[in-house]
């Protein structure tokens, strides 16, 4: 550990800053949960027994805020499995991980299942979010080739506007870790390991299947660039066809692997809810059956007509649940009463649109050729680095596609966490803006800004040799000296980070 810390002080700072931010988030959500009464939300709230002992009551008070909204589904699945049809909108990797951790950890006291799962969620997501920040640092170094920009982006991830979902019993931290790690491995040329990580990511969230585009683009780009080497290579048609077939077969195999977890889960749901006698053999408490009757939830193994999706040619329970239970679809959210939710999503929509426009306006030819044409600067080995460099193209396309799809086809307020756990652009572009336009980050050597006033503060862990100054802490300690742009960026990140802890943990509407 000592050798690792000295070898890479930026990595050490990113990991420790992430862990400190998660610890602070847990403390704040506990305080807000104790001080603010819970809102009576019309959300899934399965019946559960009262705390059996003092430890259960204490953990519910301290960590109960982590189990709100969709977290109720994950905790319920981890404890009882997929008993209810609409639970199948939540993929199994994260609840299975929670169940395994709750079963393996040596608990010092006898705890109820919910208490063990809440504590497991807090510990697991703290670890996964720190690993995700480390993976984002490695990915940023590989793509941006500017260590300061990659470092700042990884630190911004720890105060993400979707921060409450990284701490609560949601799959966001797991997905961010797997997706960023897969992207990083792909940049390093480790295709099969990248494919495995992308496959696991699609077992955590359905939008993980979109990540197959990274692999397809990587293989397509390398092939297109080989064709541009010279006319001699074009005359070797038999060899060229072998390369095409090899590329197509590996791409098909890799995409099949990425789609496999989602497809297997759809088959499991079909057997569970559509097969004869499926779901029987598990005792279902009467309070849960009563809740299902009152709310219209379909229970596995309980008599009644088969769900409509069972009769489809390709029975996909995920899309049926999104359509039937949550009314998710193209332009369905465009109603006057949803204006507050559109306003809630406005900052991340503007930020994502600004990022796309900045990249396209800086690299028009590169975008028109889809990055498949070798530029003169690349041939001379002088390609642009940073956010506007050619290597970031596929990530900008990915972020823009998610933004457009989420804005027009989803509940728009989830855009912040949807992008926050899926796209590095949400952190690379603000880091680019801060380093380009904030004088406090442009000063080198002595910590003296252009105003002549001394700068305050170092990160608590940045004392001594071989350490790294934390620019986020540095900016916050010198808030009054910041430019309006820097205040807007940090205000969005920290404001949503804090508001999420206040609102989400008390069953109040949030992203």
């Amino acid at each position: 550990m000592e050798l690792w810390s000295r070898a890479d002080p930026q990595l050490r700072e990113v990991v420790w800053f992430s862990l400190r931010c998660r610890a602070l988030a847990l403390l704040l959500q506990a305080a807000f949960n104790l001080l603010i009464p819970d809102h009576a939300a019309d959300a899934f709230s399965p019946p559960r027994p009262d705390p059996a002992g003092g430890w259960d009551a204490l953990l519910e008070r301290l960590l109960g805020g982590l189990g709100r909204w969709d977290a109720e589904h994950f905790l319920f699945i981890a404890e009882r499995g997929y008993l209810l049809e609409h639970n199948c909108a939540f993929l199994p990797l994260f609840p299975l991980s929670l169940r395994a951790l709750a079963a393996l950890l040596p608990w010092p006291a006898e705890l109820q299942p919910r208490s063990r799962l809440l504590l497991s969620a807090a510990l697991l997501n703290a670890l996964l979010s720190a690993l995700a920040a480390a993976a984002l640092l490695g990915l940023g170094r590989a793509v941006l080739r500017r260590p300061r920009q990659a470092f700042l982006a990884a630190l911004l991830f720890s105060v993400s506007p979707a921060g409450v979902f990284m701490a609560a019993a949601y799959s966001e931290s797991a997905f961010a870790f797997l997706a960023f790690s897969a992207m990083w491995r792909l940049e390093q040329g480790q295709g099969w390991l990248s494919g495995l990580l992308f496959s696991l990511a699609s077992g955590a969230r359905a939008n993980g299947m979109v990540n197959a585009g990274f692999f397809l683009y990587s293989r397509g780009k390398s092939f297109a660039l080989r064709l541009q080497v010279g006319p001699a290579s074009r005359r070797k048609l038999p060899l060229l066809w072998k390369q095409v077939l090899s590329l197509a077969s590996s791409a098909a195999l890799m995409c099949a692997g990425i789609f496999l977890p989602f497809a297997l889960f759809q088959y499991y749901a079909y057997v569970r809810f559509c097969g004869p006698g499926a779901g029987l053999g598990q005792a279902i408490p009467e309070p849960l059956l009563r809740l299902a009757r009152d709310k219209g939830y379909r229970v596995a193994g309980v008599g009644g007509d088969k769900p409509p999706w069972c009769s489809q040619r390709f029975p996909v329970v995920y899309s049926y649940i999104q359509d039937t239970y949550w009314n998710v679809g193209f332009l369905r959210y465009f109603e006057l009463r949803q204006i507050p939710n559109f306003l809630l999503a406005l900052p991340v929509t503007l930020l994502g649109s600004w990022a796309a426009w900045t990249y396209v306006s800086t690299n028009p030819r590169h975008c028109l050729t889809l990055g498949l044409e070798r530029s003169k600067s690349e041939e001379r080995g002088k390609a642009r680095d940073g956010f506007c460099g050619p290597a970031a193209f596929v990530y900008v396309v990915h972020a823009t596609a998610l933004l457009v799809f989420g804005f027009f086809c989803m509940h728009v307020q989830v855009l912040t966490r949807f992008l926050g756990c899926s796209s590095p652009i949400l952190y690379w572009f603000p880091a680019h803006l801060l380093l380009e336009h904030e004088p406090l980050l442009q000063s080198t050597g002595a910590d003296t800004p252009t105003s002549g006033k001394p700068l305050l503060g170092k990160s608590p862990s940045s004392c001594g040799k071989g350490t790294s100054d934390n620019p986020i802490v540095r900016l916050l300690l010198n808030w009054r000296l910041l430019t309006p742009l820097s205040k807007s960026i940090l205000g969005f990140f920290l404001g949503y980070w804090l508001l999420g802890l206040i609102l989400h943990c008390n069953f109040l509407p949030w992203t």
Side-chain angles (χ1 to χ4, degrees):
M1 179 65 73
E2 182 68 22
L3 180 62
W4 169 73
S5 299
R6 290 178 177 176
D8 198 336
Q10 285 189 345
L11 177 60
R12 183 192 66 172
E13 180 63 28
V14 163
V15 171
W16 282 113
F17 185 63
S18 175
L19 293 174
R20 288 196 297 270
C21 288
R22 293 297 167 256
L24 179 60
L26 292 177
L27 288 174
L28 289 177
Q29 68 82 26
F32 295 139
N33 201 27
L34 290 172
L35 295 174
I36 303 173
D38 286 348
H39 173 64
D42 184 20
F44 177 61
S45 183
R48 52 180 178 266
D50 294 330
W55 284 107
D56 290 306
L58 178 62
L59 285 173
E60 185 63 36
R61 283 181 171 272
L62 293 178
L63 301 177
L66 304 181
R68 308 304 193 212
W69 295 106
D70 288 352
E72 289 280 18
H73 289 275
F74 287 112
L75 295 171
F76 181 83
I77 295 166
E79 181 178 353
R80 297 188 176 275
Y82 288 91
L83 279 181
L84 304 177
E85 182 186 52
H86 69 309
N87 291 149
C88 293
F90 303 91
L91 300 190
L93 182 64
F94 181 68
L96 285 177
S97 302
L98 282 186
R99 178 185 290 184
L101 187 60
L104 293 174
L105 285 179
W107 303 103
E110 189 68 27
L111 297 174
Q112 290 180 334
R114 176 177 170 84
S115 300
R116 294 199 301 268
L117 290 170
L118 279 173
L119 191 54
S120 298
L123 295 173
L124 180 62
N125 278 347
L127 173 63
L128 289 175
S129 59
L131 293 175
L136 182 60
L137 175 65
L139 176 63
R141 288 171 172 176
V143 175
L144 305 175
R145 293 185 292 183
R146 288 187 180 179
R148 290 185 68 215
Q149 198 171 112
F151 179 48
L152 180 55
L155 293 173
L156 285 172
F157 176 80
S158 296
V159 289
S160 168
V164 65
F165 303 101
M166 305 289 181
Y170 277 64
S171 58
E172 266 71 2
S173 287
F175 184 79
F177 164 62
L178 292 169
F180 294 162
S181 297
M183 296 171 191
W184 181 24
R185 295 303 176 185
L186 187 60
E187 291 290 342
Q188 293 179 314
Q190 301 176 21
W192 291 106
L193 177 56
S194 172
L196 175 61
L197 293 169
F198 276 139
S199 180
L200 290 173
S202 69
R205 291 181 61 88
N207 64 290
M209 293 187 292
V210 179
N211 292 331
F214 286 104
F215 183 83
L216 294 175
Y217 181 78
S218 173
R219 293 295 182 267
K221 181 179 180 180
S222 63
F223 181 71
L225 294 180
R226 280 202 301 269
L227 292 179
Q228 299 173 44
V229 172
S233 62
R234 299 192 190 100
R235 291 196 294 266
K236 301 176 181 179
L237 290 181
L239 179 61
L240 180 62
W241 277 111
K242 287 182 180 180
Q243 292 178 347
V244 171
L245 291 175
S246 175
L247 174 67
S249 59
S250 65
L253 185 62
M254 191 63 68
C255 288
I258 294 174
F259 296 155
L260 183 62
F262 183 82
L264 288 177
F265 181 67
Q266 302 311 301
Y267 176 74
Y268 166 81
Y270 179 84
V271 172
R272 183 80 162 153
F273 288 91
C274 303
L280 297 178
Q282 179 176 359
I284 302 176
E286 178 57 32
L288 181 57
L289 290 174
R290 188 163 54 249
L291 173 70
R293 287 193 297 268
D294 294 342
K295 295 288 188 178
Y297 300 152
R298 186 173 281 113
V299 184
V302 174
D305 297 334
K306 287 186 178 181
W309 58 271
C310 293
S311 303
Q312 296 174 354
R313 184 176 181 181
F314 298 102
V316 179
V317 66
Y318 181 84
S319 57
Y320 171 80
I321 292 170
Q322 296 288 345
D323 174 55
T324 305
Y325 286 89
W326 287 296
N327 193 35
V328 172
F330 182 62
L331 297 183
R332 290 188 185 180
Y333 221 56
F334 281 66
E335 301 174 334
L336 288 176
R337 61 190 179 94
Q338 301 298 347
I339 289 178
N341 287 321
F342 277 90
L343 292 177
L344 199 59
L346 184 61
V348 75
T349 303
L350 293 176
L351 189 64
S353 303
W354 189 8
W357 172 253
T358 299
Y359 191 89
V360 171
S361 60
T362 306
N363 306 282
R365 182 177 179 82
H366 188 75
C367 294
L368 286 173
T369 59
L370 302 181
L372 301 179
E373 180 185 68
R374 190 185 300 274
S375 65
K376 294 181 180 180
S377 60
E378 288 179 281
E379 292 175 355
R380 294 193 299 265
K382 298 180 180 180
R384 183 197 301 266
D385 293 336
F387 170 77
C388 291
F393 170 75
V394 66
Y395 299 94
V396 174
V397 172
H398 172 253
T400 305
L402 293 181
L403 176 64
V404 172
F405 176 80
F407 189 83
F408 290 104
C409 301
M410 295 171 58
H411 292 184
V412 72
Q413 69 269 24
V414 307
L415 264 180
T416 303
R417 61 184 172 98
F418 185 55
L419 289 172
C421 72
S422 305
S423 173
I425 294 299
L426 189 64
Y427 311 102
W428 288 349
F429 184 58
H432 162 78
L433 293 176
L434 288 172
L435 288 172
E436 288 289 322
H437 302 288
E438 177 50 60
L440 268 65
L441 295 180
Q442 295 170 0
S443 58
T444 57
D447 289 335
T448 306
T450 55
S451 64
K453 298 180 180 179
L455 296 182
L456 299 175
K458 294 272 188 179
S459 167
S461 65
S462 61
C463 302
K465 295 181 180 179
T467 58
S468 180
D469 179 28
N470 188 320
I472 300 295
V473 175
R474 183 181 181 189
L475 291 176
L476 293 178
L477 291 176
N478 296 277
W479 180 264
R480 289 189 291 180
L481 301 177
L482 301 185
T483 63
L485 176 61
S486 299
K487 289 181 179 179
S488 299
I489 293 172
L490 293 177
F492 167 52
F493 272 71
L494 295 173
Y496 271 52
W497 186 86
L498 183 60
L499 280 174
L501 294 172
I502 297 172
L503 298 176
H504 179 273
C505 296
N506 292 286
F507 259 129
L508 291 162
W510 187 237
T511 64

